[in-house]
Every structure is written in structure tokens, then in C-alpha cells.
Amino acid sequence: MPAPEQAVLITDDDVRISAVHGPAAGFGPRDRVFVVAHGFTGSWRRPAVGAVLEGLRAHGGAIGFDFRGHGASTGLSTVGDREVRDLEAAVGWARRLGYQRVVTVGFSMGGSVVLRHAALHGGVAAVVAVSAPARWYYRGTQPMRRVHFAIERRSGRAVARFVLRTRISAREWDPVPLAPFEAAAAIAPTPLLVVHGDRDPYFPLDHPRQIHDAAGMPKDLWIEPGLGHAENAVGADLVDRIARWARAHTEG
């Protein structure tokens, strides 16, 4: 399999984004690429994200990147707001590499970002949101209450910085960005796949259903039995099925 290449991308607000590209297995034509947006506290260097990228390379090129405030990227995390600019930089790199069809695949926070990116920027062939929240400020589960502690409290942000290597902005959103379910309503006719586990400890099933219900056609909703949350829960079979769905909806 061709070796990956690394790059530093510059967003339109001058944040340096660490990114990696792996061409498709078999050195095929650069027709389709999957741009993977990781979850909060993630990185393309994490094994779970790396496994997703490798699985997708059986079906096309794959690009991973670190959101601002994460991993080797600069800046501070805004937990889904300005991260749309990071994804746009990665999509722009895909275009410069010669890819004709770009499929964005986001996990958790990254799932909210791929929805908002498609609504605000467009230009992608398909969107896949895995374990994504439908709306902001959700505190209905204990894991999400811990997330909000990490975001909103100085001590929580310190733990995130030194333990999770995630640097979080202390500034509140102003204005509050478009909610993921509202973004989903604005992306048709771009095909949308919403994937969620029935054992997700962060977001219950009303979140994927709200996203799916808001979206126009074409759209699909997969509720996966036994699946937990985001990239740490998905296995090779689910990654393969996601890639096959994307191929089926981006041919021609």
C-alpha cells in the first residue's frame, strides 16, 4: 500500500493544521477521497482514527487531520465552531491533490463539523456523521456533563491541556453556531448518512433521529446494535460498510 504523506495546512484564519494523506490501495486514480474529522480530544495519530483511515483506503484516498487545539495543530479548540475552517482546509488539500469527489466522515464533534461544513461551504459529494450531537449544550448524560466541565471550567481546561493534550478556548460562542440538525436541513441534495450506536453513552438516539428527520433526501439512518461512541467504537466492518455506502452514492 502506498505510504502516507504529511502536510501542514493553513486555515483562512491562519491556524496551522497537521494533516496526513494516504492514497488508495492499489495506486488507483484519484477519483474519490474520504476526509476524516475526529472527535473531541482526538487526533489523526490516535490508533482508532488511524484504523478508520486505513479501512477507508480500500475504497479511495483518505485524509486525516488534527482539529485546532488538538495534536500537532496550533490554535485553540472552539468545540465545533471554527473547526469548520479546519475541515475546509483539508477539503481544499484534497482538491489540490487532484481528487474529484470528496466525502467527509465525522465522528462526534467531527460529525457536527461535517454537517455544518456541508451547509456553509458545500462542494462535497457526500457526508457521513457518526455519533454526532443534534444540538448544542446537551448535558443529559454523565459523560457529557464531564465534557462540559472540561470546556467551561478553568480547572477542566487545565486537565484537558495536560492530560488529554487538548487546548480549549475560554471564550464563549458569539454568535452560537448553527446547530447540527439545522445544518442537516440545509445540505440536500448532498447524500447524508447518519450512523449511531444504541449503546452510545454520550448522546441518546433522539440525536441521530433529529438529524435524520431534519435532513432532505437522499439520506439514510443506521442505528447500530451494540455500538458505543465514535471512532473508538467502530470496527473494520462498519468502516467498510460506510465506504461502500459512500461509493454507491457518489458514482457517476
Side-chain angles (χ1 to χ4, degrees):
M1 184 176 289
E5 58 182 313
Q6 297 185 29
V8 175
L9 313 177
I10 308 298
T11 68
D12 64 3
D13 58 346
D14 294 323
V15 176
R16 296 169 66 85
I17 299 298
S18 172
V20 65
H21 164 248
F27 298 88
R30 292 193 171 183
D31 175 53
R32 181 184 298 103
V33 65
F34 300 90
V35 179
V36 175
H38 62 74
F40 182 57
T41 76
S43 167
W44 69 259
R45 293 174 175 83
R46 297 280 177 87
V49 179
V52 171
L53 293 168
E54 286 303 300
L56 293 173
R57 288 177 68 185
H59 300 272
I63 287 175
F65 64 96
D66 290 349
F67 279 122
R68 62 185 62 205
H70 291 71
S73 293
T74 64
L76 298 174
S77 174
T78 63
V79 201
D81 181 12
R82 289 180 175 263
E83 283 73 12
V84 170
R85 300 168 182 247
D86 310 342
L87 179 55
E88 177 65 6
V91 169
W93 188 34
R95 300 291 188 203
R96 294 192 297 275
L97 288 170
Y99 288 103
Q100 300 301 308
R101 296 178 177 90
V102 178
V103 178
T104 53
V105 182
F107 294 87
S108 192
M109 180 187 76
S112 71
V113 174
V114 299
L115 292 167
R116 294 185 56 245
H117 175 270
L120 297 173
H121 291 273
V124 295
V127 177
V128 181
V130 184
S131 304
R135 51 199 182 273
W136 306 129
Y137 305 112
Y138 177 74
R139 292 175 170 85
T141 59
Q142 187 169 351
M144 281 307 299
R145 289 191 285 274
R146 290 197 298 266
V147 169
H148 281 280
F149 175 83
I151 296 169
E152 296 168 356
R153 303 289 185 88
R154 180 180 296 179
S155 58
R157 292 192 295 271
V159 170
R161 175 183 290 269
F162 293 108
V163 177
L164 302 175
R165 298 185 179 181
T166 303
R167 305 167 304 281
I168 305 168
S169 172
R171 298 180 63 180
E172 295 184 4
W173 286 337
D174 183 21
V176 175
L178 189 70
F181 82 93
E182 295 172 323
I187 69 175
T190 300
L192 170 65
L193 172 61
V194 181
V195 182
H196 212 91
D198 66 359
R199 294 189 181 180
D200 190 313
Y202 288 82
F203 304 113
L205 294 179
D206 61 306
H207 283 261
R209 289 169 177 153
Q210 186 177 20
I211 294 169
H212 181 260
D213 289 348
M217 296 295 289
K219 61 182 179 180
D220 286 295
L221 172 62
W222 296 353
I223 302 298
E224 295 292 310
L227 182 69
H229 185 68
E231 59 263 55
N232 291 319
V234 301
D237 177 70
L238 179 54
V239 172
D240 186 71
R241 286 194 287 124
I242 288 171
R244 292 181 184 278
W245 177 92
R247 286 176 56 183
H249 285 79
T250 57
E251 296 290 354

